Amino acid sequence: MSKSYVIEVGDDQAGVIIREDGESHYSFHSALDVYNALEGRKFANALLAERAAIAHSVSRKRRRVFANERGGVAL
């Protein structure tokens, strides 16, 4: 039987991680486009996946702030 967990960042459902029978890792499946960079990444547990999603979100926000300060465009 597979196991799955929803990964949330703030009010956003970032994605879901799924561990299939016989596998030792969880695979990330993004629910929102902004988390597509994590798509397919492997994690040992839900906590590590959640931390990666939070780090990704913080990194995106920092890039946006930096770009706005420089008058550029954030990706």
Side-chain angles (χ1 to χ4, degrees):
M1 175 182 260
S2 64
K3 286 189 174 184
S4 62
Y5 297 96
V6 172
I7 303 299
E8 295 180 340
V9 176
D11 292 334
D12 291 337
Q13 180 180 333
V16 63
I17 56 170
I18 301 171
R19 183 177 73 193
E20 298 294 339
D21 290 339
E23 291 184 351
S24 61
H25 61 270
Y26 291 87
S27 296
F28 189 95
H29 302 278
S30 63
L32 298 172
D33 289 342
V34 297
Y35 295 96
N36 282 348
L38 299 175
E39 183 71 30
R41 280 196 45 196
K42 310 289 188 217
F43 296 95
N45 57 52
L47 180 60
L48 293 175
E50 180 183 47
R51 286 180 179 173
I54 291 168
H56 178 73
S57 177
V58 167
S59 175
R60 285 180 49 82
K61 288 178 185 174
R62 285 184 183 153
R63 284 193 307 264
R64 246 182 286 139
V65 168
F66 182 76
N68 286 339
E69 290 173 353
R70 300 287 184 214
V73 177
L75 300 176

